[in-house]
Amino acid sequence: MKIFAEGVGITEERIPSVCPYCAVGCGFYLVVEKGRATSMEYMPEHPTGEGGLCPKGNAVLEVLNHEERLRYPLRRSGDEWIRISWEEALELVAKGLGKAVEDHGGRSLGFLASSRCNNEENYALQKMARLLGSSNVDNCARLCHSPTVMGLGGSLGTGAMTNNIRDLANARCILAIGTNLAEAHPVVSRWVHKAKDNGAKIIVVDPRITHTSWMADLHLRLKPGTDIDLLKGMMKVMIDEGSIDEKFIAERTKGFEDLKKSLEGFTIEKAAELTGVPAEEIIEAARIYSRSEASALLYSMGITQHICGTDNVRTCADLALISGQIGRPGAGIWPMRGQNNVQGACDMGAMAEFYPGYKRVSDSSSLDFFKTAWRAPSLPDGPGMTSTEMMDAALEGQIRAMYIIGEDPVICDPNTSKTRAALESLDFLVVQEIFLTATAKLADVVLPAAAWAEKDGSYTSMERRVQWIDKAVPAPEEAKEGLLIICEIAKRLGLDLNYTSASEVLEEINRLVPAYKGATRSRISKPGGVAWPCPAEDHPGTEILHLERFSTPDGRANLAVVDNVPPAEETCPEYPILLTTGRIVVHYNGGSMTRRSPSLMERDPELYVEVNPEDASSLNIIDGSMVVVSTLRGEVRARARLTNAVKPGMVFMPFHYYGANLITSDARDPVSKIPEYKAAACNIVPAE
């Protein structure tokens, strides 16, 4: 739609777009003048955002037009960067990847796809990896919601949000556990407030006092790492008091008798002892949740980022299932995903365990299907290495070359000193980015990529909403669309990956991924797109999953019997305090975008650590002073903020700043391989 500025004859274009930050997928309009985005307009017709944007979304043009955007291909020469032509850059990349394959085989390659890039780029990258003989392809879901893929997938058959975000307004109880959604997903909190205005009770489970807990009717401040014990306590109350849905359990689940038996010796008193939450509060929460007409369960990384993250998710599913709080309006499970296309990256097969559409790589029928579809004589069988396993393998000499797109593991991985050492040990590293990030600075070749508004493509939000973005502005100078870069490299490696547009890739996705069959470009170009599964072009999309049956082979949900596993690190005299991490409203993930936004940096410019005043007194820490926070992995300086938001014996640090993940724990969940960011034993002393 074109708008003409009155009286001056300047032509402006008003182009629909989707926010490139979190996974809510809010829509807005970019106002473009002479090839440059000059302003934004809200999109009130968007079904989820309804015109709303958080501080990050409102400041997004500061990033798009930033002076530090990468503009030309770069080659490392010692400690210097040399500008090179695209032809030279592409030849160097093809040579570096090809040599690793020739000398060490396809499995010596590692690929990190991007939850910030569109579906078509991620689809092409994972296809390229597998055509080269490597299943070592992953994305940042490994670090945030791989337990959702594995846990909900095992319980319900689909590892995705069951209901859309608008449907939260229909809930009469909202249980938010391990999520500070008011800061991490501010637009979602608007729907929670609507539910509360309609009479819903809000229960928040979080050891900290947060912006989310402010709206709670009941705030359970549990001991970090005891989520399963709390949920088991709630289930015990529900079973003992008969507030479970026996008809739902009998008709739509299996495994209940084993679950019930496992809880026989578990008492509410034991739950209170383990969690630190008073028994009467656990009982009240169980009664409110189970007896509500429609209860929603929301969780995020406070649940997933533990060594028992997959079991945490499965226990959340157990709670919803035995109370029948799933598969209808206002009742379901809402995993609060992080990055704008983390759902889509997983859907596209950018995971070590899955081909597109969650076809398991360990299943021979998956290999046969994609061999035929891709006209590939062979494909690697069995799961590849996850992102964190690739770093281990690089240190051991098994991974020799890596291709990283739109991810910054030097900032985002736990124990980042180890990650840096791993990347430095590679024979060859190529990074495709919009800024010269900490990871890009370690690369042999850096490829300048187009940002979200500078290319065509589709994105899938956390509510399974597939939305298309048309290119609104040109990329700066010589930066190119990521899909075209991938295809040019593939061509030089002799691969059949000759896509000319994102639309062409989407058509292949429509053919090969059943849930996306009806998510055609014409349909998803409208504000709000369409929610998968959308199995046909005349299908309206699926706003609520599991209405009549679950996505398991027999249509029944699987109840799990799990026991809590305490954090890998316990406090001790040397490290007497428990460190946990999380998000704040004005920053995003590793901060490569938001820390380049002046308006956001003005609000929160530096790394800080929240300390309880009681601990601060004994540690001689003054509010606003600099402190040194140390763990087994190293130390970092941060600004102390004294607050009762954290309980005595624990501290909180936002992970958006360089240094935070130098000290986080890289202990992993054995199933999903997610690291335990949420619990590390630390010490704090005043900085000298």
Side-chain angles (χ1 to χ4, degrees):
M1 177 179 179
K2 291 188 176 181
I3 302 172
F4 295 87
E6 185 176 352
V8 294
I10 299 175
T11 302
E12 293 179 340
E13 291 183 90
R14 184 169 170 264
I15 302 174
S17 194
V18 177
C19 183
Y21 281 114
C22 84
V24 176
C26 300
F28 57 83
Y29 293 98
L30 284 173
V31 178
V32 178
E33 179 184 337
K34 295 182 180 180
R36 181 178 173 85
T38 57
S39 63
M40 299 163 57
E41 292 182 8
Y42 297 124
M43 186 184 286
E45 68 271 29
H46 192 278
T48 304
E50 292 189 324
L53 291 174
C54 75
K56 296 183 290 292
N58 276 300
V60 76
L61 290 189
E62 295 177 357
V63 175
L64 187 66
N65 298 324
H66 200 279
E67 62 183 9
E68 292 181 11
R69 285 289 306 277
L70 288 169
R71 287 167 164 77
Y72 310 100
L74 301 172
R75 173 175 63 83
R76 174 180 296 284
S77 178
D79 294 331
E80 302 294 325
W81 290 104
I82 298 175
R83 175 180 166 180
I84 58 177
S85 69
W86 267 107
E87 185 60 32
E88 182 181 354
L90 295 169
E91 289 293 339
L92 284 171
V93 173
K95 180 179 178 181
L97 299 179
K99 188 175 189 309
V101 174
E102 182 179 348
D103 293 348
H104 307 285
R107 296 180 189 273
S108 69
L109 296 179
F111 296 80
L112 291 187
S114 176
S115 296
R116 290 190 290 159
C117 292
N118 59 43
N119 288 322
E120 292 72 26
E121 290 167 296
N122 284 308
Y123 179 88
L125 186 73
Q126 63 81 32
K127 182 175 178 179
M128 174 185 178
R130 284 159 172 145
L131 291 176
L132 284 170
S134 176
S135 284
N136 304 325
V137 58
D138 212 358
N139 76 90
C140 81
R142 185 66 52 193
L143 308 179
C144 60
H145 274 278
S146 51
T148 293
V149 177
M150 308 303 286
L152 276 193
S155 294
L156 311 181
T158 302
M161 188 174 282
T162 62
N163 303 45
N164 64 37
I165 293 170
R166 290 172 60 93
D167 192 44
L168 285 170
N170 296 317
R172 291 298 170 264
C173 167
I174 293 178
L175 170 61
I177 180 169
T179 174
N180 181 14
L181 60 98
E183 290 202 75
H185 307 94
V187 170
V188 175
S189 69
R190 298 173 64 202
W191 294 100
V192 175
H193 279 292
K194 288 183 180 183
K196 185 162 185 168
D197 290 343
N198 292 334
K201 295 292 185 181
I202 312 299
I203 305 168
V204 172
V205 182
D206 196 312
R208 296 172 61 226
I209 297 172
T210 67
H211 288 72
T212 302
S213 69
W214 292 349
M215 54 180 155
D217 297 287
L218 181 62
H219 179 197
L220 310 184
R221 299 188 69 182
L222 82 172
K223 178 183 176 182
T226 61
D227 303 278
I228 289 175
D229 294 322
L230 178 79
L231 294 168
K232 286 173 65 175
M234 291 177 66
M235 288 191 287
K236 177 66 171 175
V237 171
M238 290 156 54
I239 291 171
D240 289 350
E241 295 187 350
S243 58
I244 57 176
D245 190 330
E246 295 183 356
K247 184 174 185 293
F248 186 93
I249 292 169
E251 294 179 355
R252 300 197 56 189
T253 74
K254 58 185 180 183
F256 176 70
E257 290 304 319
D258 289 338
L259 175 62
K260 182 179 179 181
K261 184 176 180 180
S262 73
L263 294 171
E264 286 178 356
F266 192 77
T267 65
I268 191 65
E269 291 77 18
K270 184 65 173 177
E273 176 189 343
L274 292 169
T275 64
V277 177
E280 58 270 21
E281 292 185 8
I282 300 175
I283 293 169
E284 183 181 2
R287 288 172 176 170
I288 294 172
Y289 178 84
S290 62
R291 297 175 183 179
S292 159
E293 294 177 8
S295 290
L297 191 155
L298 285 61
Y299 72 83
S300 191
M301 296 190 299
I303 282 290
T304 60
Q305 289 181 333
H306 293 273
I307 58 170
C308 56
T310 302
D311 282 346
N312 281 349
V313 170
R314 297 205 71 175
T315 311
C316 287
D318 284 350
L319 186 78
L321 288 165
I322 69 169
S323 54
Q325 298 288 9
I326 195 166
R328 51 193 170 82
I333 302 175
W334 280 255
M336 307 300 290
R337 295 237 183 189
Q339 298 213 54
N340 59 320
N341 200 37
V342 66
Q343 181 68 58
C346 297
D347 297 346
M348 294 302 105
M351 294 191 77
E353 304 93 341
F354 299 102
Y355 280 99
Y358 301 99
K359 292 183 180 292
R360 289 192 173 272
V361 298
S362 55
D363 188 338
S364 60
S365 64
S366 298
L367 267 68
D368 293 340
F369 177 87
F370 284 103
K371 281 180 185 177
T372 301
W374 294 343
R375 298 188 297 275
S378 65
L379 289 172
D381 58 350
M385 298 180 195
T386 67
S387 61
T388 46
E389 288 174 331
M390 287 184 226
M391 299 305 167
D392 293 341
L395 288 170
E396 296 166 1
Q398 297 175 39
I399 294 290
R400 308 303 290 258
M402 289 191 73
Y403 185 0
I404 298 177
I405 293 179
E407 296 293 346
D408 195 4
V410 170
I411 299 295
C412 297
D413 277 14
N415 190 7
T416 52
S417 294
K418 175 182 171 183
T419 297
R420 176 181 288 274
L423 295 176
E424 289 175 338
S425 73
L426 294 169
D427 295 336
F428 182 75
L429 172 63
V430 55
V431 174
Q432 188 169 302
E433 256 293 359
I434 64 173
F435 292 113
L436 194 64
T437 62
T439 299
K441 289 177 181 178
L442 300 181
D444 296 287
V445 178
V446 175
L447 305 177
W452 97 101
E454 300 159 353
K455 58 191 176 186
D456 295 339
S458 65
Y459 298 79
T460 307
S461 73
M462 64 180 172
E463 56 178 349
R464 299 171 283 104
R465 191 174 299 283
V466 190
Q467 304 178 90
W468 182 269
I469 298 177
D470 284 318
K471 179 179 178 178
V473 293
E477 302 294 342
E478 294 182 14
K480 291 183 180 291
E481 296 185 29
L483 174 64
L484 301 182
I485 298 172
I486 295 167
C487 290
E488 285 293 331
I489 294 169
K491 180 171 69 174
R492 286 163 173 77
L493 288 166
L495 303 179
D496 182 16
L497 214 68
N498 300 313
Y499 304 114
T500 58
S501 68
S503 294
E504 187 179 348
V505 181
L506 179 60
E507 289 172 3
E508 183 169 315
I509 294 167
N510 295 152
R511 293 194 301 271
L512 301 185
V513 181
Y516 278 70
K517 186 174 183 180
T520 59
R521 176 173 177 174
S522 62
R523 296 193 67 196
I524 64 176
S525 294
K526 300 172 184 177
V530 64
W532 69 255
C534 184
E537 290 189 35
D538 59 354
H539 191 280
T542 306
E543 300 292 343
I544 301 177
L545 294 175
H546 316 308
L547 292 173
E548 297 178 354
R549 71 187 311 274
F550 291 96
S551 302
T552 55
D554 62 3
R556 288 176 173 263
N558 299 301
L559 291 164
V561 175
V562 299
D563 290 314
N564 191 53
V565 178
E569 291 185 10
E570 296 183 359
T571 56
C572 60
E574 185 178 0
Y575 299 107
I577 297 173
L578 189 69
L579 166 69
T580 192
T581 64
R583 292 187 172 103
I584 58 176
V585 69
V586 298
H587 285 298
Y588 172 76
N589 278 31
S592 63
M593 296 195 294
T594 53
R595 285 188 289 107
R596 287 181 168 87
S597 179
S599 64
L600 299 177
M601 284 297 286
E602 184 178 359
R603 292 177 59 175
D604 267 308
E606 63 181 348
L607 180 64
Y608 64 85
V609 58
E610 293 182 350
V611 184
N612 185 275
E614 182 181 318
D615 291 328
S617 177
S618 63
L619 296 168
N620 297 317
I621 292 171
I622 301 171
D623 187 36
S625 65
M626 294 301 295
V627 296
V628 175
V629 186
S630 60
T631 69
L632 286 168
R633 288 154 294 281
E635 63 182 38
V636 64
R637 291 169 60 92
R639 184 80 61 185
R641 292 187 182 180
L642 273 54
T643 173
N644 287 310
V646 291
K647 303 169 73 171
M650 72 170 289
V651 295
F652 169 82
M653 183 179 287
F655 57 64
H656 311 293
Y657 305 87
Y658 177 75
N661 282 321
L662 282 169
I663 59 175
T664 48
S665 172
D666 55 356
R668 298 171 198 160
D669 177 306
V671 178
S672 64
K673 310 298 174 67
I674 193 170
E676 190 165 52
Y677 290 92
K678 287 295 181 281
C682 76
N683 188 27
I684 306 178
V685 297
E688 295 181 356

